[in-house]
Amino acid sequence: MHELFKVGNKILTTLEANGYKGYFVGGCVRDHHMQRSINDVDITTDALPDDIERLFERTIDVGKEHGTIIVLIDDTTFEVTTFRTESGYSDFRRPDQVAFTSRLNSDLERRDFTMNAMAMDEHFQIIDPYGGRRDIAERVIRTVGRAEERFNEDALRMLRAARFSAHLEFQVAPETERAMAEHAQNLEYVAVERCVVELLKLYRGPGVKAAKSLMVETHLKDHLAFLENIRDEDFLDTEVHSLENEIALQMWRNPELRRHLHELKLSNDMKKEIQSTTGLIEMIHRPATVKELAYSHDMKILENASAIMESNAFSELEEKRERIQSAIDLKPHLPISNIADIDLDGKMLMTFFNARGGRWIRKVFSAIETEILDGNLENDRKKIMEWVDAHVEYEAGDIKIIEE
Ligand code: ATP
Ligand code: MG
């Protein structure tokens, strides 16, 4: 039995001991049934949020009005959510009303796909009123109830269908796919952040290629920020395994796309990563040395670019691939990995030249950086100051480097 279920069982038995019902639910039941690995375990119960808080020692309120309380057991977190129904989705993205219910089946009914609408009790008995196991056996993604209705309620579910198809390499049921094609444009009502969460997951699945075809065929792609600007044939012919690399590669191929990057509302770190990857692919098309490639980019970026070059067509591919691989090999052996690693600070230079700070300090650092990277100078404070003494002349706020 998976450790998470073992620990989670403590929650189920506590609920039962107090006269409530509790079940494992959703993705963990699907993955358990499919004998896939399990990352987190969600629990559904007829206990109300206040009851849940009362029954367990350590809880965190993460959305009581929606019925969700986090329960901590042995430092593992479990989302425990009260059975609920949802109704009145007038904006294609969230229910106008959430109501608690005492019936498990009503809670399962609101869930997106049959395979996600199963519950499991503490004896590992599966409750499966909508044919989740049958669809899993047939490797089919099917909405609970009529697909049009379900996608009208929450358009994100269409993108989730594509995400699950990438992850599980399942087909979308014909009527579900037809409804996706019909309702694709409702995706525009969904917050871009929610779409990005699904897209990030989609790209990590083994079936990303098929999922991208599905997104093109159903036109989901045409209603997603940023992606809508990529030509279908450009979107389909890349071989990438992260959203970041997709964007980086597409932006390199078509610089027009760069002005749309902000529309995805990604974190600054992620934007920077993508832009650096695009920049590195650009750099590799210029006569940059291996050392320049290695020094100018973080390992993560080198690896992104390497993964992109590995499986996508580029001119003179072999040579470029080798250069990026050499840069990855060289990177850990560089004497410094950026200018901040230099064993010196600006104050020492100011004292040495008895001068005030200014742009000249940056110039000295830059000269030292080159010497160290070229292997002419050790990254050692004393050695560096000797080099400065011999090679740098300071005069009235500026410096001159004396070549040997
Ligand atoms: P993963 O293993 O990737 O986390 P998951 O099935 O657990 O997959 P979550 O996004 O964590 O997916 O959602 C948990 C459960 O909540 C789902 O299994 C499903 O039952 C339900 N669910 C999530 N989002 C929706 C939605 N938009 N509409 C209906 N039900 C949903
Ligand atoms: Mg989950």
Side-chain angles (χ1 to χ4, degrees), residues 27 59 79 227 242 319 395 397:
T59 59
E79 269 193 21
L227 300 187
S242 73
E319 179 269 340
E395 199 180 319

Side-chain angles (χ1 to χ4, degrees), residues 342-357:
I342 295 176
D343 184 19
L344 190 75
D345 59 57
K347 282 210 199 81
M348 297 174 68
L349 292 174
M350 281 151 68
T351 312
F352 184 81
F353 290 112
N354 190 22
R356 279 191 298 151

Side-chain angles (χ1 to χ4, degrees), residues 24-41:
F24 299 119
V25 73
C28 69
V29 180
R30 176 196 68 223
D31 290 339
H32 169 76
H33 178 71
M34 293 179 68
Q35 300 180 330
R36 290 168 59 89
S37 64
I38 287 151
N39 323 311
D40 51 35
V41 163

Side-chain angles (χ1 to χ4, degrees), residues 25-28 30-31 39-40 42 86 89 108 110-113 115-118 150 154 156-157 160 163-164 167 194 198 201:
V25 73
C28 69
R30 176 196 68 223
D31 290 339
N39 323 311
D40 51 35
D42 294 332
E86 295 169 354
Y89 298 81
L108 296 177
R110 73 168 167 92
R111 294 173 184 270
D112 46 6
F113 304 109
M115 62 184 182
N116 291 342
M118 303 192 289
R150 303 314 309 283
D154 180 358
L156 183 72
R157 289 171 186 156
R160 286 174 59 83
R163 185 262 269 199
F164 286 115
H167 256 252
R194 290 178 79 205
E198 299 299 332
K201 291 184 178 177

Side-chain angles (χ1 to χ4, degrees), residues 364-383:
V364 180
F365 266 87
S366 177
I368 295 169
E369 180 185 37
T370 307
E371 291 300 308
I372 294 177
L373 280 174
D374 288 349
N376 301 330
L377 177 60
E378 227 181 282
N379 186 22
D380 169 88
R381 186 168 301 209
K382 193 155 159 280
K383 298 261 168 56

